[in-house]
């Protein structure tokens, strides 16, 4: 039987890419065979079933592969390879520091308070350093700022009233003055005498200062090239105290003229010597406090 040049009709298989569907363009001529729609439906259903089976099978294989990988990882982690086991390098529990361990405690300490220099010049019991006009006022001159004062005569008496004038002798005697030191400094035609009265206690010195008034004057000290001053002339005086010492100044002109408020140089001289006296008494306390601290 002859099928023409094309040979026998090819068998259509939906799973073979080279097979052809057995229809022709008979829809136009009416002479061809119409497609088998039932067979096409069955073939499509078969194809979908096979695709579902392939997807299910592939998922199962992937699941098995993942499970195998996890098992291999677990086995590797539990192996004897120390480098892959970070926990193997941690110290044993006994070697770890305990959060509840005992914290060391220290007894509170504090530095002793510094010694107060004033304490050592506030009573005769503590104030034991050597004392005298040349100890309290050393050297031959003193400098306050840019001003240089020349040191003159000095005096030291146990009779305090004999070295004072006006109302000062009574104030010194009533409060137990035991010693009165004096020194005179000069600059040009101005002279100032400093008197330092010594008491046994700070309370006595403070009371003597409070009882002093404008008429409480220390006697001027002349001699050694220093002319008499403040003998009948008006002079300027100051009164103060520190510790067991009360100290006084008397400033005036060596030319025997009165001091007025315009004579600021006289006022400055008296203030400088009063300040220097305070510093010297305080230094005396500082020296004794330092010596006591180092014992």
């Amino acid at each position: 039987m002859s099928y023409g040049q094309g040979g026998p009709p090819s068998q259509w298989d939906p799973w073979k890419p080279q097979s052809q569907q057995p229809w022709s363009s008979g829809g136009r001529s009416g002479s061809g065979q119409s497609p088998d729609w039932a067979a096409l439906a069955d073939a499509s259903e078969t194809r979908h079933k096979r695709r579902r089976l392939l997807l299910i099978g592939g998922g199962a294989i992937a699941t098995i592969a993942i499970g195998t990988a996890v098992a291999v990882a677990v086995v590797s982690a539990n192996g004897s390879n120390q480098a892959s086991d970070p926990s193997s390098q941690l110290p044993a529990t006994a070697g770890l520091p305990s959060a509840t361990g005992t914290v060391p405690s220290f007894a509170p300490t504090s530095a002793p308070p510094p010694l107060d220099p004033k304490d050592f010049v506030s009573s005769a019991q503590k104030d034991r350093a050597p004392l005298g006009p040349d100890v309290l006022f050393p050297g031959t001159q003193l400098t306050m700022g840019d001003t240089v004062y020349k040191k003159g005569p000095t005096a030291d008496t146990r009779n305090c009233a004999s070295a004072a004038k006006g109302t000062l002798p009574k104030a010194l005697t009533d409060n137990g003055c035991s010693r009165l030191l004096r020194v005179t400094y000069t600059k040009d035609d101005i002279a100032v005498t400093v008197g330092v009265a010594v008491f046994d206690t700070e309370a006595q010195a403070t009371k003597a200062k409070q009882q002093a008034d404008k008429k409480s004057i220390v006697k001027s000290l002349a001699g050694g090239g220093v002319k008499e001053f403040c003998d009948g002339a008006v002079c300027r005086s100051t009164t103060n105290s520190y510790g067991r010492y009360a100290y006084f100044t008397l400033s005036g002109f060596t030319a025997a003229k009165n001091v007025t408020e315009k004579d600021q140089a006289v006022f400055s001289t008296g203030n400088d010597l009063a300040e220097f006296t305070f510093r010297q008494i305080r230094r005396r306390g500082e020296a004794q406090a330092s010596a006591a601290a180092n014992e």
Side-chain angles (χ1 to χ4, degrees):
M1 182 180 295
S2 174
Y3 290 93
Q5 294 179 357
S10 61
Q11 185 72 25
W12 176 68
D13 187 347
W15 297 102
K16 292 182 181 181
Q18 301 298 328
S19 62
Q20 296 181 0
Q21 191 170 349
W23 68 53
S24 63
S25 56
R28 293 181 181 180
S29 61
S31 61
Q33 187 178 4
S34 63
D36 188 352
W37 298 111
L40 290 175
D42 292 339
S44 177
E45 180 65 23
T46 301
R47 185 168 63 252
H48 286 301
K49 287 182 179 181
R50 290 183 180 181
R51 184 174 296 175
R52 283 196 298 269
L53 290 175
L54 288 174
L55 290 176
I56 294 172
I61 294 173
T63 303
I64 295 172
I66 293 173
T68 303
V70 172
V72 171
V74 171
V75 171
S76 177
N78 293 329
S80 60
N81 188 354
Q82 295 292 332
S84 63
D85 188 3
S87 62
S88 64
Q89 299 180 9
L90 294 175
T93 304
L96 294 175
S98 174
T100 59
T102 304
V103 177
S105 61
F106 302 94
T109 59
S110 60
L115 299 176
D116 187 358
K118 189 177 181 182
D119 289 343
F120 289 85
V121 292
S122 293
S123 68
Q125 294 179 345
K126 283 190 174 183
D127 190 10
R128 297 298 186 90
L131 180 62
D134 292 326
V135 173
L136 204 57
F137 303 97
T140 60
Q141 65 182 29
L142 70 88
T143 301
M144 296 291 290
D146 297 331
T147 306
V148 179
Y149 297 99
K150 183 180 178 181
K151 182 180 175 182
T154 63
D156 184 1
T157 180
R158 303 284 178 173
N159 184 1
C160 298
S162 66
K165 295 173 65 175
T167 57
L168 186 57
K170 185 177 187 306
L172 296 178
T173 302
D174 290 350
N175 290 287
C177 177
S178 60
R179 193 173 180 181
L180 184 59
L181 314 176
R182 287 184 296 164
V183 62
T184 296
Y185 287 90
T186 61
K187 184 182 184 305
D188 300 330
D189 62 341
I190 299 173
V192 55
T193 293
V194 180
V196 180
V198 185
F199 300 86
D200 287 341
T201 66
E202 180 181 9
Q204 291 173 319
T206 301
K207 191 173 181 180
K209 180 192 72 173
Q210 293 171 346
Q211 292 177 353
D213 55 24
K214 293 182 180 180
K215 296 181 179 180
S216 298
I217 301 171
V218 66
K219 278 187 180 181
S220 62
L221 181 63
V226 179
K227 297 179 180 180
E228 294 288 342
F229 65 100
C230 295
D231 187 10
V234 176
C235 290
R236 192 244 182 173
S237 63
T238 65
T239 301
N240 215 324
S241 68
Y242 183 80
R244 70 185 187 114
Y245 300 92
Y247 54 97
F248 313 88
T249 67
L250 183 67
S251 308
F253 293 105
T254 57
K257 66 178 182 178
N258 293 334
V259 175
T260 67
E261 293 182 355
K262 296 180 180 180
D263 298 316
Q264 291 302 311
V266 176
F267 282 77
S268 297
T269 299
N271 292 341
D272 283 350
L273 268 298
E275 175 68 19
F276 179 73
T277 303
F278 163 76
R279 293 180 185 179
Q280 288 299 95
I281 298 172
R282 181 171 176 81
R283 287 192 187 104
R284 178 180 175 85
E286 291 173 346
Q288 294 182 88
S290 177
N294 294 327
E295 291 180 352

